[in-house]
């Protein structure tokens, strides 16, 4: 960062401190931690405070869950629940950056929570070392689905539609992925977009996956989650199809289906 840019940022943060937190001193750690978000024209202190009061459930602590949980914790989401019933495996490490070699054999939920606590000790991070259950979404402000099977995605989607909890869906395999944001009862849900599981969809174990591809999709998923929490326009009534081999991004419009078994009653 140039000295001019640094001085500009200091001036903006100092002005914000005087305007909205007159009692804060020059070493306010809250402002220091979130200053780069607070100076964004799309953001505000109110948005940051709302983020700090939000509860988010991240389902899956693997290739997508690693960047999602990292960015949400870093951004200041007040309470994060991490759901995963698996253990860290050596084959995970090239793409699941919350887990390190000494963590092999450790439950993923516990491994993830340990790292996130170091990243941001001011938030609450809770491990759920269990399979996903619909009851887990109760009381949440948002769910981010980072699972890796269609069956799991449909289960999470149905639970969120039933409870009226906003959801961000995503998937990645090989060098392709997709992202979708959902407001149950207002916008198309995951099953509206994909009524049935593709018959020939390969798994990551079969098709492979590059770590940075999962990182890109997980980062987009975290971005959509922050937009929903802050009340900013999000990727609803559409999904983003990403081909990272060619760097082609395609936004595909979808609409609610009146007969959808998941969201028609939402």
């Amino acid at each position: 960062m140039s000295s001019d840019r640094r001085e500009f940022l200091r001036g903006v943060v100092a002005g914000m401190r005087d305007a909205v937190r007159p009692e804060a001193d020059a070493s306010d750690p809250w402002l220091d931690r979130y200053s780069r978000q607070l100076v964004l024209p799309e953001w505000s202190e109110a948005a940051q405070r709302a983020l700090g009061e939000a509860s988010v459930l991240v389902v899956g602590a693997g290739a997508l869950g690693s960047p999602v949980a990292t960015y949400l914790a870093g951004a200041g989401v007040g309470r994060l629940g991490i759901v995963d019933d698996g253990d860290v495996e050596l084959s995970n490490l090239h793409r699941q950056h919350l887990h390190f070699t000494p963590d092999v054999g450790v439950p993923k939920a516990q491994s993830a929570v340990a790292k996130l606590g170091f990243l941001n000790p001011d938030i609450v991070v809770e491990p759920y070392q269990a399979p996903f259950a619909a009851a887990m979404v109760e009381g949440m402000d948002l769910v981010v689905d980072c699972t890796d099977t269609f069956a799991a995605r449909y289960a999470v989607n149905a639970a969120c539609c039933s409870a009226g909890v906003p959801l961000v869906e995503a998937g990645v395999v090989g060098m392709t992925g997709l992202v979708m944001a959902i407001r149950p009862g207002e916008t198309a849900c995951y099953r509206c977009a994909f009524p049935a599981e593709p018959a020939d969809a390969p798994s990551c174990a079969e098709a492979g996956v590059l770590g940075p591809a999962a990182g890109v999709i997980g980062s987009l998923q975290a971005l959509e989650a922050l937009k929903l929490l802050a009340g900013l326009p999000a990727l609803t009534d559409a999904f983003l199809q990403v081909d990272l081999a060619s760097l082609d991004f395609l936004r595909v419009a979808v609409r609610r289906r009146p007969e959808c078994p998941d969201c028609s009653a939402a």
Side-chain angles (χ1 to χ4, degrees):
M1 180 184 293
S2 69
S3 59
D4 289 346
R5 175 63 179 166
R6 188 177 297 109
E7 289 305 315
F8 170 77
L9 181 59
R10 286 175 179 168
V12 170
V13 173
M16 181 184 305
R17 181 182 295 118
D18 294 338
V20 300
R21 290 174 61 83
E23 76 284 1
D25 61 31
S27 60
D28 186 326
W30 185 86
L31 281 176
D32 288 344
R33 182 179 288 274
Y34 303 119
S35 63
R36 299 316 193 263
Q37 292 173 192
L38 288 165
V39 298
L40 286 169
E42 299 87 354
W43 211 250
S44 66
E45 186 189 17
Q48 190 63 48
R49 297 291 182 192
L51 205 64
E53 296 175 359
S55 295
V56 177
L57 190 71
V58 178
V59 187
L64 295 176
S66 287
V68 165
T70 297
Y71 281 122
L72 295 186
V77 171
R79 176 174 169 241
L80 280 177
I82 309 297
V83 180
D84 201 303
D85 65 343
D87 297 336
V88 179
E89 300 177 1
L90 192 61
S91 62
N92 300 153
L93 301 184
H94 81 286
R95 67 193 185 283
Q96 301 182 17
H97 65 246
L98 275 178
H99 313 301
F100 306 151
T101 299
D103 298 318
V104 171
V106 174
K108 285 186 181 181
Q110 299 286 349
S111 172
V113 167
K115 312 307 189 310
L116 297 171
F118 282 114
L119 172 63
N120 193 343
D122 297 332
I123 67 171
V124 176
V125 190
E126 300 171 324
Y128 295 88
Q129 188 183 337
F132 171 77
M136 292 177 175
V137 310
E138 296 295 336
M140 293 293 169
D141 297 299
L142 179 74
V143 174
V144 188
D145 184 6
C146 302
T147 56
D148 59 2
T149 68
F150 282 97
R153 293 183 196 120
Y154 286 131
V156 174
N157 182 75
C160 288
C161 288
S162 178
V165 176
L167 168 66
V168 183
E169 279 286 358
V172 64
V173 66
M175 295 182 69
T176 64
L178 66 84
V179 181
M180 181 179 184
I182 298 156
R183 293 187 185 276
E186 299 177 26
T187 69
C189 76
Y190 185 76
R191 192 177 287 276
C192 288
F194 305 98
E197 176 180 345
D200 57 351
S203 67
C204 285
E206 297 167 333
V209 60
L210 281 181
V216 170
I217 302 302
S219 296
L220 289 170
Q221 197 175 13
L223 179 62
E224 291 305 308
L226 291 173
K227 288 179 182 178
L228 287 174
L229 291 169
L232 299 175
L235 185 67
T236 54
D237 284 327
F239 63 86
L240 186 68
Q241 182 75 45
V242 183
D243 184 338
L244 291 164
S246 61
L247 293 181
D248 288 330
F249 287 67
L250 176 65
R251 180 175 179 139
V252 180
V254 294
R255 63 178 62 184
R256 292 189 70 190
R257 294 190 301 116
E259 73 281 10
C260 176
D262 286 0
C263 76
S264 59

